[in-house]
Amino acid sequence: MTDMGAFASWPVGGGEAGALVRAFDWSKTSLGPIAEWPQILRLKVNSVVNSPIPQVLMWGPDHVMIYNDGYTEIAGNYHPHALGGTVNGIWPEIWDWNEKILEAGFRGEVQSFRDQKMVLNRNGTPEEVVFDLFYTPIYNDVGIVEGVLCTVLENTEKVKTVQALAASREELSRLTSALPILVGFIDLNYTYRFANQGYLDWFGWAPEDVVGKRVVDVVGEAFFNERKPFIQRSMAGEHIVSDTSIQRPDGKRHAAEIRYVPRRDHRGEVDGCYILIIDIETRKQAEREILLSNSRFKAAVEAVHGVLWTNSPEGRMSGEQPAWSQLTGQSYDEYQGFGWAEAVHPGDREGSIDSWNRAVAAKATYVWEHRVRRRDGVYRTFAIRGVPIIDPQGEITEWVGVHTDITEQRSAEVALKEHAANLEREIRHRIRAEDQLRQLNEGLEARVEKEIAERRQTELALQQAQKMEAIGQLTGGVAHDFNNLLQVIAGNLQLLAKDVAGNERAERRVGNALAGVSRGAKLASQLLAFGRRQALEPRVINVGRFVAGMDDLLRRSLGEAVEVEVITAGGLWNTYADPTQVENALLNLAINARDAMEGTGKLTIEVGNASLDMDYARNHAEVEPGQYVMLAVTDSGSGMKPEILDRVFEPFFSTKPEGKGTGLGLSMVYGFVKQSGGHVKIYSELGQGTTVRIYLPRSMADEDREIVVHNGPVVGGSETVLVVEDDDEVRGTVVEMLTDLGYRVLTARDAQAGLTVAESGVPIDVIFTDVVMPGPLKSSEMARRVKERMPHLAILFTSGYTENSIVHGGKLDPGVELLSKPYTREALARRLRHVIANQKQRAESTRDRAPDQAVASEPTAKVEAKDALRVLLVEDDDLIRMNTTDILTEVGHAVVEAANATQALDLLDREEIDILVTDLGLPDMGGAELAVLVKQRKPEIAVVFATGDNFLPKNAPAGAVLLCKPYNENDVRYAIGQAMSNS
């Protein structure tokens, strides 16, 4: 029977693990009580628990574990319950591994594994560990394996350290290889321990092939012997920097800077040195180039006879400048600062100084040319180039420049340019001649045919133009005589109307007769329009808005059975044309279209922008290429044949039945458009309809505002009027109308006679003269001569047919007043008062005031500051505006001037105004309309109308005062006082 007490202290020793073995109840395991263990098991267990090396014994078929204290660290949190446990029960995460190992061990195989990686859960979470494992089978007395002993050495931290070191070396290798320098390290035996990618570039060795080799084997014996003294000095602790040249693998030698840096160990002793090689070939090359450039610059300056100079950072010449002094002969004191400029040609001096100062301010290279006076007094042309020397802070330290004599060069360039120009001209002539010859040879017959066709077309166009011009001359002359006849009839009918006043039947007949005169006047106007002899009154208009404003008129004229569509393009340009004639033209085209559609159909009016190019102009000889505003009228009528289209613009030609039209509608349109500098084109197809396109030249000016004319009562006057008229009947009628209006009347039958009367000394206030009269002296020349002798005289022209004497380009000359025939008694009366009033005001503005009047007015002219007013004066006549401003200023008021209503409204928004003084006939808006707008914006402003009329306009604001032309200082003072009292 076994003595259990003998095993109470067994196994002997073993530390913590031994104690646990002694205290463990092994009877609960497959091993049974310790007393029953076989001797080999007890021997092995005793050996294991007392081993300093971590060991675990796995015994029996279920692999019961017995281990020592060293293994407790391997077991981690599985200790202490791992003691007496089974392998698969304690290490389930690596049972796949252990199962195979144990099977091999129990077969008697001895196994070992170095740096074996495993993932264990010994501390509660998976962790990767690295072991050295040694497995030994344990045999019993009969040679059967009873267990497997595993000796375990954990290398986890060692492996991590090795890996970190390798990563660090790899990172160092990548870092140094990324640098544009060679980096290596050699030990005391001149053996490489480190090398970066630079060795491949410099010596053709890969870094991994360099490490472990001696220096002499890598760089060669010759180079090693050359550098060995430097290496030895570094091994002695000295930091060495030296320059040399190295032949690279491609055979080229590169300049290099080599640094030897000693490395010391923890004891402070040198254990090797670092070798760094930096490629300085580019730097050396730059240094060589700088030296070469300096040498070249010096040689170049001497070769081109250049004059070298320096200036201070502020751009002033300072210090000794021997080259400049040698060139100009200036002394030291003379060229200091800007004294050098005295040697520059006077014509170039100011520009040179200004451009130099700009270059100094901009810190930019100075390039210029000017003439410099040499010491012998001769001026030479020099090219100047000055360069600033900039320090690292961006500031100029000095200017360095050179003057190069280019006189001969410039002369040669001029001669060369002239020669080149002559040569180029000769070449062009040669090429042109060759081209012409080639073209002639290529298609002489075709060109001849084409030229013949073009000549025929030109001849036809010329014939048509001559025909239209001849018809125009004829119709213009007819209209002139017709207007004179109408003037006689109209004048006498208007005089007769006064005699039969109260006789209703007679008044009705006179009215019917006057209506016939109006129809005749319209017919004459159409004839003048075709002949381009009418005096246009153009304004800047927007045709789109103009057409929109005619919508009601068109619909009433065309009837309800005609559908009207108006298409207006966006961004429509303005045009400069007579709005009345545009209205007449559009109305004529619309009525013609209505008749072509027989009262039923669709009429399309289109307004847009158009550009007529050179190609179009070549095919239409009368067209100037450019930008136009296009007005098109399209109908859905029957259309016209080609032979009819060729004649549609001829006067009196009509496709309508007899009695249905005058044949002057399209003629009027044609003449008006041509007189306005435009173009008209007609397209038509039988059964499809007709389109007429009018092209009016574009105007870049702003649109003019419509002037509202306010008619007042007809008044006459007592002035003397010289009537110059060649038609006896017309002259007699005018004399009777003027006499009826209260004027004194003188007469002359032509311009020469009118000049004689005017120069006779008879007092005359106004000349009323026809434009077209027989005789060598034109009426316009008569008017010019009379105005030279009598500047105060007013001139009013009248005509039923205008010539170029007062009309140019279809427009009245500036300052010319024209009353077109036939005219009414009322029109004559109003125009005379307007002309006389304006002329009197001009005379007033040019007349010097008498000294006694100025003295007498002085006490009242000076107004106290508290009574001074800010006056907005609006007058389009410059002379009248200037004189009125002087009067208002003398009175003591502050004046703000405007030449038109648009300027006045702009000033109203920017200035403080107390009173408005305005003419009625402004170029862009009626004076009354302006006053209404002013009162709407600022009701407190007083209003004075300065006009030739002797009555206020109908829509004058309440409290407005009338200032009749001509006026003087007292009139102005009184009118302003009255207006301020009324406001």
Side-chain angles (χ1 to χ4, degrees):
M1 189 172 182
T2 305
D3 184 0
M4 293 299 294
F7 298 100
S9 58
W10 183 93
V12 178
E16 180 189 355
L20 288 173
V21 172
R22 289 191 292 272
F24 192 80
D25 184 4
W26 293 99
S27 62
K28 296 181 179 179
T29 69
S30 62
L31 300 185
I34 291 177
E36 298 178 1
W37 287 4
Q39 184 179 4
I40 186 62
L41 175 57
R42 290 198 301 272
L43 289 174
K44 277 299 173 185
V45 170
N46 197 72
S47 173
V48 168
V49 296
N50 287 288
S51 174
I53 300 173
Q55 289 184 328
V56 57
L57 179 62
M58 296 168 283
W59 196 266
D62 52 356
H63 315 124
V64 177
M65 298 171 58
I66 303 172
Y67 52 84
N68 61 6
D69 286 350
Y71 190 79
T72 59
E73 294 182 6
I74 303 298
N77 290 341
Y78 292 151
H79 175 74
H81 66 271
L83 187 70
T86 60
V87 174
N88 61 337
I90 299 303
W91 298 104
E93 62 269 30
I94 56 174
W95 174 241
D96 290 344
W97 163 268
N98 282 329
E99 184 178 21
K100 296 176 182 178
I101 294 298
L102 290 172
E103 287 178 356
F106 275 90
R107 288 195 302 268
E109 296 179 16
V110 177
Q111 305 169 78
S112 64
F113 302 92
R114 297 285 186 177
D115 293 334
Q116 179 63 47
K117 294 182 180 179
M118 294 183 174
V119 178
L120 304 180
N121 294 331
R122 59 182 179 177
N123 293 315
T125 57
E127 61 175 306
E128 187 175 74
V129 294
V130 182
F131 297 126
D132 283 347
L133 301 171
F134 306 93
Y135 296 94
T136 305
I138 306 300
Y139 295 89
N140 60 15
D141 295 338
V142 294
I144 297 174
V145 178
E146 294 283 352
V148 177
L149 176 64
C150 177
T151 300
V152 185
L153 298 177
E154 183 166 359
N155 297 330
T156 302
E157 293 302 323
K158 182 189 75 172
V159 170
K160 288 182 179 179
T161 301
V162 171
Q163 290 174 342
L165 179 59
S168 177
R169 288 179 176 173
E170 180 65 22
E171 180 65 22
L172 177 62
S173 177
R174 285 197 300 269
L175 177 62
T176 57
S177 295
L179 297 174
I181 60 176
L182 177 147
V183 180
F185 177 77
I186 60 175
D187 60 18
L188 297 175
N189 296 321
Y190 302 138
T191 301
Y192 281 104
R193 298 304 175 193
F194 177 80
N196 76 339
Q197 192 67 25
Y199 277 88
L200 182 63
D201 299 330
W202 283 95
F203 300 107
W205 286 78
E208 58 271 17
D209 297 332
V210 173
V211 176
K213 285 186 171 54
R214 293 174 57 81
V215 177
V216 66
D217 299 327
V218 175
V219 302
E221 185 173 357
F223 188 68
F224 173 71
N225 291 333
E226 176 191 332
R227 307 308 300 174
K228 187 175 181 180
F230 297 100
I231 298 174
Q232 290 173 338
R233 288 168 57 189
S234 180
M235 293 297 188
E238 186 179 351
H239 192 124
I240 306 297
V241 179
S242 68
D243 291 350
T244 186
S245 66
I246 302 174
Q247 183 170 337
R248 298 176 64 136
D250 58 5
K252 297 180 181 178
R253 299 194 70 86
H254 276 227
E257 177 187 292
I258 303 181
R259 299 188 180 194
Y260 301 97
V261 181
R263 190 182 79 174
R264 299 179 185 275
D265 60 14
H266 64 281
R267 298 187 303 274
E269 297 178 357
V270 176
D271 62 357
C273 75
Y274 292 102
I275 302 175
L276 293 87
I277 300 179
I278 304 171
D279 190 342
I280 59 172
E281 178 64 27
T282 303
R283 188 183 76 191
K284 289 294 184 180
Q285 182 66 28
E287 292 174 355
R288 290 193 293 271
E289 289 177 356
I290 290 173
L291 290 174
L292 179 61
S293 176
N294 289 339
S295 301
R296 286 176 176 170
F297 178 71
K298 183 177 180 181
V301 170
E302 295 175 355
V304 300
H305 306 291
V307 177
L308 194 63
W309 48 263
T310 60
N311 270 14
S312 68
E314 296 79 21
R316 290 171 171 77
M317 189 172 281
S318 61
E320 293 287 348
Q321 304 289 335
W324 182 261
S325 179
Q326 178 67 25
L327 172 67
T328 64
Q330 286 184 310
S331 66
Y332 176 88
D333 293 332
E334 287 174 338
Y335 62 66
Q336 293 296 304
F338 282 99
W340 56 266
E342 295 301 319
V344 177
H345 191 283
D348 302 340
R349 190 173 299 156
E350 182 177 354
S352 298
I353 294 175
D354 290 343
S355 60
W356 173 245
N357 286 333
R358 288 196 300 271
V360 172
K363 303 179 182 179
T365 299
Y366 178 65
V367 179
W368 196 253
E369 286 187 17
H370 60 206
R371 291 164 289 178
V372 177
R373 184 187 64 246
R374 292 190 317 199
R375 62 188 307 114
D376 60 2
V378 176
Y379 281 99
R380 303 282 290 179
T381 301
F382 284 83
I384 309 101
R385 186 176 181 86
V387 179
I389 299 176
I390 309 294
D391 63 15
Q393 288 72 41
E395 298 299 327
I396 299 176
T397 60
E398 187 180 32
W399 286 85
V400 177
V402 63
H403 270 60
T404 305
D405 192 335
I406 58 171
T407 306
E408 282 74 18
Q409 177 185 338
R410 287 292 178 260
S411 299
E413 287 176 356
V414 172
L416 183 61
K417 286 180 180 178
E418 291 178 356
H419 178 70
N422 292 334
L423 184 59
E424 184 179 354
R425 185 164 52 252
E426 292 177 4
I427 292 173
R428 285 200 305 270
H429 291 165
R430 175 75 175 271
I431 293 174
R432 187 180 302 113
E434 291 176 353
D435 287 343
Q436 291 173 348
L437 181 60
R438 184 173 60 253
Q439 292 172 6
L440 185 63
N441 293 334
E442 287 175 354
L444 180 60
E445 183 177 351
R447 288 199 304 276
V448 169
E449 291 179 356
K450 181 179 179 182
E451 289 179 3
I452 292 175
E454 290 178 351
R455 178 172 296 180
R456 287 174 180 171
Q457 185 176 358
T458 302
E459 289 174 352
L460 289 175
L462 179 61
Q463 291 173 1
Q464 180 68 13
Q466 291 173 340
K467 172 184 174 182
M468 298 298 277
E469 182 66 23
I471 296 175
Q473 294 280 1
L474 176 63
T475 54
V478 170
H480 172 256
D481 294 339
F482 194 35
N483 275 330
N484 279 342
L485 178 61
L486 289 174
Q487 183 59 53
V488 173
I489 297 172
N492 283 284
L493 286 173
Q494 290 173 46
L495 293 172
L496 180 61
K498 292 183 61 180
D499 297 338
V500 300
N503 186 333
E504 182 178 352
R505 184 178 180 185
E507 285 180 340
R508 184 170 63 255
R509 290 180 176 177
V510 169
N512 291 337
L514 285 172
V517 169
S518 296
R519 291 178 61 188
K522 182 177 180 181
L523 179 62
S525 175
Q526 290 176 322
L527 290 171
L528 288 175
F530 172 75
R532 286 173 267 179
R533 299 298 187 271
Q534 61 182 340
L536 301 179
E537 296 183 13
R539 296 206 318 267
V540 180
I541 61 173
N542 185 289
V543 177
R545 276 190 285 275
F546 193 79
V547 171
M550 292 180 60
D551 186 70
D552 289 342
L553 174 61
L554 288 170
R555 296 184 188 280
R556 287 196 305 270
S557 301
L558 301 177
E560 296 181 356
V562 176
E563 178 188 353
V564 179
E565 181 182 7
V566 178
I567 302 173
T568 303
L572 190 65
W573 297 329
N574 291 335
T575 186
Y576 188 62
D578 189 326
T580 301
Q581 298 303 324
V582 174
E583 179 178 325
N584 289 339
L586 179 56
L587 196 57
N588 271 319
L589 293 177
I591 292 174
N592 280 351
R594 178 201 63 189
D595 294 343
M597 296 184 292
E598 297 182 354
T600 303
K602 181 177 181 179
L603 179 72
T604 302
I605 301 174
E606 183 181 358
V607 185
N609 301 328
S611 294
L612 302 183
D613 57 17
M614 290 296 299
D615 291 338
Y616 189 90
R618 277 193 293 267
N619 295 325
H620 301 80
E622 81 284 2
V623 176
E624 288 291 331
Q627 295 178 325
Y628 293 82
V629 176
M630 186 273 296
L631 172 63
V633 178
T634 302
D635 64 58
S636 59
S638 57
M640 289 179 281
K641 298 177 180 179
E643 56 270 22
I644 294 178
L645 279 178
D646 294 337
R647 301 186 59 194
V648 291
F649 293 123
E650 295 179 9
F652 306 115
F653 177 80
S654 177
T655 60
K656 301 175 185 179
E658 187 175 350
K660 289 294 183 79
T662 63
L664 289 174
L666 285 177
S667 302
M668 183 276 294
V669 173
Y670 176 86
F672 155 65
V673 173
K674 293 299 180 183
Q675 192 173 356
S676 300
H679 171 62
V680 60
K681 188 68 176 177
I682 185 167
Y683 309 85
S684 185
E685 290 185 26
L686 282 176
Q688 300 298 319
T690 302
T691 296
V692 180
R693 287 194 175 96
I694 294 174
Y695 297 89
L696 297 173
R698 178 186 181 182
S699 172
M700 305 304 293
D702 293 334
E703 183 181 5
D704 291 335
R705 299 287 297 271
E706 183 179 359
I707 300 175
V708 180
V709 179
H710 300 283
N711 297 325
V714 176
V715 295
S718 59
E719 289 86 356
T720 300
V721 181
L722 171 59
V723 177
V724 184
E725 170 63 60
D726 62 307
D727 189 297
D728 295 338
E729 293 180 348
V730 173
R731 187 172 63 251
T733 303
V734 173
V735 168
E736 189 171 350
M737 284 195 293
L738 290 174
T739 303
D740 185 62
L741 289 169
Y743 293 102
R744 294 187 297 275
V745 183
L746 302 175
T747 62
R749 64 181 303 107
D750 57 31
Q752 187 62 55
L755 181 62
T756 301
V757 173
E759 292 178 341
S760 67
V762 178
I764 300 173
D765 297 294
V766 59
I767 294 178
F768 182 48
T769 176
D770 193 10
V771 175
V772 182
M773 290 183 293
L777 186 66
K778 291 185 176 181
S779 59
S780 57
E781 180 63 19
M782 175 202 68
R784 186 187 66 78
R785 292 186 186 182
V786 172
K787 288 287 284 187
E788 287 178 352
R789 293 169 174 76
M790 293 173 281
H792 69 281
L793 199 64
I795 306 290
L796 176 60
F797 290 95
T798 182
S799 181
Y801 173 85
T802 58
E803 289 186 324
N804 291 337
S805 55
I806 63 170
V807 175
H808 293 86
K811 306 170 184 64
L812 285 174
D813 292 341
V816 172
E817 297 283 353
L818 175 68
L819 179 62
S820 296
K821 295 179 181 178
Y823 47 80
T824 64
R825 174 176 175 272
E826 289 78 6
L828 175 62
R830 291 194 181 92
R831 185 57 66 90
L832 272 177
R833 292 319 310 162
H834 171 75
V835 171
I836 292 172
N838 274 353
Q839 183 58 40
K840 286 184 178 180
Q841 187 58 47
R842 292 190 192 98
E844 182 72 22
S845 64
T846 57
R847 187 177 66 237
D848 293 331
R849 297 176 189 168
D852 57 339
Q853 179 186 0
V855 172
S857 303
E858 187 173 355
T860 58
K862 302 299 181 182
V863 182
E864 294 294 331
K866 63 186 178 66
D867 295 329
L869 302 173
R870 289 188 60 81
V871 180
L872 175 56
L873 174 62
V874 189
E875 169 64 60
D876 60 322
D877 189 294
D878 296 337
L879 195 59
I880 296 175
R881 187 172 68 251
M882 188 184 308
N883 171 251
T884 306
T885 298
D886 291 342
I887 294 175
L888 291 167
T889 305
E890 187 68 23
V891 172
H893 302 307
V895 182
V896 180
E897 299 181 37
N900 53 54
T902 302
Q903 293 180 9
L905 293 173
D906 181 57
L907 290 169
L908 187 68
D909 294 333
R910 297 187 283 110
E911 303 283 348
E912 292 293 330
I913 303 299
D914 299 308
I915 186 168
L916 169 68
V917 178
T918 179
D919 190 12
L920 283 177
L922 300 176
D924 56 348
M925 183 187 298
E929 183 180 358
L930 170 64
V932 171
L933 292 176
V934 169
K935 294 292 279 185
Q936 289 175 352
R937 296 188 186 184
K938 296 184 178 181
E940 70 278 7
I941 292 180
V943 177
V944 173
F945 290 109
T947 177
D949 294 334
N950 58 359
F951 54 87
L952 285 171
K954 293 180 180 179
N955 57 340
V961 174
L962 181 67
L963 175 62
C964 292
K965 296 177 182 178
Y967 47 77
N968 55 30
E969 181 178 318
N970 291 329
D971 297 332
V972 171
R973 184 186 295 107
Y974 177 79
I976 288 181
Q978 284 292 106
M980 293 304 295
S981 299
N982 296 344
S983 63

